[in-house]
Amino acid sequence: LFLSFVPIFIAAQDTIQQDTMFRKKTFIEDDPVVIMLDSLASLKIFEDSGFPKANQYQNWNTYEDNDVPGFPDSVYRERTARMNDQSPFEFVYNQEVKKFIELYAVRKRKLTARILGLSQIYFPLFEEQLDKYDMPLELKYLAVIESALNPTANSPAGAKGLWQFMYGTGKGYGLNRFDPYKATIAACEHLSDLYDIYGSWSLALAAYNSGAGNVNKAIRRSGGMKNFWAIQKYLPKETGSYVPAFIAASYVLTYASEHK
């Protein structure tokens, strides 16, 4: 009986080792999403804040204090489809999106909790301006990808603020990049301009990240396809991960209670 379990144990160990190698290869240290989440660790506003007690949140009574909820692909797919039905965005679920769901909900869950705290400050401002410009309210999640809602975020490339404007782009919209109110208005105007060009929010997000020039080049190289997933492999690596990260952040913040 003992000998019959040895191959199973070895196979399990091999699977765990392969999974660990996959995770190491999947998330490299200079991943822009990881960098932005790590930048929140230095925010003074939350440095002394502990986690709330389990009984303060709905659904938490079904978990032990140290539980980290996870769900099968079928549940993620069903929830994402539900979001898609209620949104002008193309919310899809695939393995790339799953990778970022695990980043936000598991690997960086403490920082995601801080983002949830910051969202109470910034999301009402975002939603007010998005509504004023008649734009999808889901665009508020874009600032999570850009800055992890860190109002003083600085990228290595020189982008600044909640919406990570470069100097030239920010100057074109006449803003102080660290001013949350003006930056939000500028982000609405810039995203609206990009949507007018492509007629697709996914492509508008890609252009927001890497510029219209790179998106236009990817469209040409794909043979004229105007679909993010069709041109993804022709985009810069960071931009190729941008929409999956956006979908994952939207999912995790929508289902934050279910993920404790």
Side-chain angles (χ1 to χ4, degrees), residues 9-118:
F9 174 77
I10 294 173
Q13 291 292 99
D14 190 47
T15 300
I16 293 170
Q17 191 173 31
Q18 288 178 8
D19 182 61
T20 303
M21 291 174 63
F22 170 78
R23 289 175 180 273
K24 287 181 179 178
K25 290 179 181 178
T26 302
F27 289 102
I28 55 177
E29 291 301 319
D30 61 349
D31 187 294
V33 177
V34 176
I35 291 171
M36 281 304 165
L37 288 175
D38 285 343
S39 74
L40 267 178
S42 63
L43 273 186
K44 300 297 183 185
I45 190 172
F46 285 125
E47 66 179 359
D48 296 322
S49 297
F51 281 98
K53 299 297 182 183
N55 60 10
Q56 289 183 245
Y57 281 84
Q58 183 183 7
N59 295 339
W60 279 30
N61 60 352
T62 62
Y63 299 121
E64 298 295 330
D65 284 349
N66 294 323
D67 282 350
V68 177
F71 303 93
D73 286 349
S74 59
V75 172
Y76 290 134
R77 191 171 291 109
E78 179 186 352
R79 291 174 179 171
T80 306
R82 199 179 308 152
M83 291 169 58
N84 187 61
D85 291 341
Q86 300 171 0
S87 171
F89 282 92
E90 184 188 2
F91 286 120
V92 301
Y93 177 75
N94 54 36
Q95 292 305 301
E96 289 182 80
V97 172
K98 181 180 182 179
K99 176 182 75 174
F100 285 103
I101 289 176
E102 291 178 344
L103 174 69
Y104 283 110
V106 181
R107 297 182 66 241
K108 298 290 184 179
R109 62 185 285 106
K110 288 187 177 182
L111 293 176
T112 302
R114 295 184 180 189
I115 290 173
L116 281 165
L118 286 165

Side-chain angles (χ1 to χ4, degrees), residues 154-174:
N154 281 282
S155 80
K160 299 181 186 296
L162 284 167
W163 295 94
Q164 288 291 280
F165 275 100
M166 297 294 287
Y167 176 77
T169 308
K171 187 176 180 181
Y173 287 95

Side-chain angles (χ1 to χ4, degrees), residues 26-28 30-34 94 96-101 103-104 142 145 202 205-206 209-210 228-229 231-249:
T26 302
F27 289 102
I28 55 177
D30 61 349
D31 187 294
V33 177
V34 176
N94 54 36
E96 289 182 80
V97 172
K98 181 180 182 179
K99 176 182 75 174
F100 285 103
I101 289 176
L103 174 69
Y104 283 110
L142 180 59
I145 306 302
S202 294
L205 295 183
N209 176 250
S210 66
F228 172 81
W229 301 104
I231 71 169
Q232 183 185 26
K233 63 182 179 182
Y234 301 112
L235 291 166
K237 183 177 180 180
E238 177 185 331
T239 309
S241 297
Y242 198 70
V243 170
F246 172 81
I247 294 171

Side-chain angles (χ1 to χ4, degrees), residues 36 142 146-147 151 153-155 157-194 208-209 242:
M36 281 304 165
L142 180 59
E146 285 292 337
S147 66
N154 281 282
S155 80
K160 299 181 186 296
L162 284 167
W163 295 94
Q164 288 291 280
F165 275 100
M166 297 294 287
Y167 176 77
T169 308
K171 187 176 180 181
Y173 287 95
L175 66 93
N176 176 338
R177 291 175 289 169
F178 287 129
D179 184 320
Y181 183 79
K182 291 182 178 179
T184 300
I185 293 173
C188 289
E189 292 176 350
H190 187 37
L191 286 162
S192 181
D193 291 343
L194 293 171
Y208 188 96
N209 176 250
Y242 198 70

